[in-house]
Amino acid sequence: MGGSFPTNPDFKSGFVTLVGRPNAGKSTLLNAIMGKKIAITSNTAQTTRHRFRAVYTTDAMQMIIVDTPGLHKPKDALGEELNTSAIKALEDVDVVAMLIDASQPIGRGDEWVAEQVRAAKGSAKICVLSKTDMASDAQISAQREAAEALCGWDAMVGLSSTTGRNVDAFVEEVQFLLPEGPAWFPADMETDQPLEVMVAEFIREKVLRNFFDEVPHAIGVGVEEMEFEKPNLYRIYAVIYVERDSQKGIIIGKRGAAIKRIGTEARRDLEHLLGSKVFLDLSVKVRKNWRRDANQIRRFGYGEGA
């Protein structure tokens, strides 16, 4: 990608990894920092399956934000792959930011994530108490005290990515902790994700949001074909993969109503992302037990093997 690089002689730059349990608010914070939606979000655990990098550049600094899958106790090969991806993202970064949901008591899962953070050598460490808009002052105070015992933090910030409260304070803390260095990416670059991956993820998000607990982890999405037709149209052909025939029926819905709704919602977001009209063709196929097959997982681009 073209574009200019900042030339400030006191410029700071570096890599910042966001880690935490599933649903701690990592992708929501990334979107809040970027000021636009580039990472998908939902209330479903393991929404993030890619180690996703966003690039945030100002005149004074560039931070490459690494969004990771939530660290959790894996139940299948997909879960193991996602954990591996998240833990590897702690290596060789300048800042590790651990998100802890301010509205939920700290549990064994948080303690285990903190253990991984403590083991990350050479990185500055920030504790982020997220979702403060959903917690009382007493909850936030108790959470702050409990979080202080987890690690020797270089900084702690309470914020709400939904309302935007203190997101700027987090960015300032990161800037303070970043080393001086050159910009790694052009100033106009926002992510290193291939466009096809982002398109597939935006479609998967709509499935997650429409079906919650019914089929979410069994879903994989692949973009088969994507072409730009001048003057202002993308043609996208994508496949939603499920593990069982019964799940295929759920995704398609009665007389195709469910998949039509997914397509309508996805197209709206994709047109905003691509800045163009979108023709979106969705189909559903069964790929039995793909979450147990490391090769299939990597074919979808999930985890470290991508």
Side-chain angles (χ1 to χ4, degrees):
M1 182 180 287
S4 62
F5 287 81
T7 55
N8 180 347
D10 301 318
F11 198 77
K12 290 182 146 193
S13 64
F15 288 77
V16 184
T17 291
L18 306 181
V19 293
R21 289 169 63 192
N23 279 335
K26 300 177 292 295
S27 299
T28 309
L29 174 57
L30 185 150
N31 288 338
I33 293 167
M34 298 301 296
K36 65 190 293 187
K37 177 178 175 175
I38 59 173
I40 69 169
T41 62
S42 83
N43 291 325
T44 304
Q46 297 179 34
T47 296
T48 301
R49 289 179 175 172
H50 295 267
R51 198 166 72 190
F52 188 102
R53 292 195 294 199
V55 184
Y56 177 78
T57 308
T58 69
D59 291 339
M61 64 118 177
Q62 180 177 86
M63 67 173 175
I64 299 93
I65 311 160
V66 185
D67 186 19
T68 61
L71 284 161
H72 63 290
K73 187 174 182 179
K75 296 176 181 175
D76 50 34
L78 174 61
E80 290 172 6
E81 196 72 34
L82 297 182
N83 265 8
T84 299
S85 178
I87 291 170
K88 280 188 74 70
L90 295 172
E91 298 173 1
D92 300 322
V93 296
D94 301 286
V95 179
V96 174
M98 177 178 169
L99 276 73
I100 298 173
D101 185 340
S103 68
Q104 301 290 329
I106 286 176
R108 290 174 63 185
D110 293 300
E111 291 168 0
W112 186 78
V113 176
E115 195 178 312
Q116 313 309 311
V117 172
R118 289 197 304 271
K121 305 298 182 190
S123 303
K125 296 168 178 64
I126 299 178
C127 179
V128 177
L129 301 179
S130 62
K131 307 185 185 182
T132 56
D133 57 307
M134 297 169 62
S136 66
D137 289 345
Q139 279 178 302
I140 295 168
S141 178
Q143 200 76 319
R144 185 179 292 273
E145 193 173 324
E148 281 172 352
L150 291 176
C151 185
W153 305 109
D154 294 286
M156 186 178 288
V157 180
L159 56 77
S160 167
S161 302
T162 306
T163 67
R165 177 180 172 270
N166 269 358
V167 171
D168 288 347
F170 170 73
V171 172
E172 286 171 13
E173 290 287 4
V174 170
Q175 181 173 337
F176 178 76
L177 292 168
L178 285 178
E180 287 189 5
W184 297 94
F185 298 102
D188 61 351
M189 183 172 176
E190 292 179 328
T191 176
D192 67 347
Q193 287 282 58
L195 202 51
E196 287 84 354
V197 170
M198 294 183 72
V199 168
E201 288 292 88
F202 273 43
I203 295 166
R204 187 168 65 87
E205 178 193 61
K206 300 313 173 190
V207 179
L208 296 180
R209 287 175 174 261
N210 274 281
F211 294 102
F212 304 107
D213 295 328
E214 291 156 288
V215 289
H217 300 311
I219 295 296
V221 178
V223 173
E224 303 280 292
E225 191 179 335
M226 181 170 162
E227 56 187 31
F228 183 67
E229 284 188 9
K230 292 179 179 178
N232 188 34
L233 176 69
Y234 270 98
R235 288 189 179 273
I236 299 170
Y237 298 84
V239 179
I240 299 170
Y241 291 96
V242 293
E243 292 187 314
R244 296 195 299 274
D245 288 322
S246 60
Q247 294 165 343
K248 180 176 180 179
I250 291 170
I251 297 298
I252 293 173
K254 192 173 183 179
R255 295 179 183 164
I259 196 166
K260 184 178 180 182
R261 185 169 67 246
I262 292 164
T264 300
E265 292 176 7
R267 188 169 63 250
R268 197 178 302 135
D269 268 8
L270 291 172
E271 288 183 341
H272 186 70
L273 174 73
L274 299 169
S276 170
K277 293 288 184 187
V278 169
F279 167 83
L280 178 61
D281 181 278
L282 291 179
S283 57
V284 186
K285 294 181 181 178
V286 177
R287 188 170 278 177
K288 293 190 183 300
N289 298 321
W290 68 263
R291 284 178 294 167
R292 297 179 191 160
D293 183 339
N295 289 328
Q296 296 279 22
I297 291 164
R298 291 169 184 178
R299 203 164 288 145
F300 282 126
Y302 304 144
E304 276 308 295

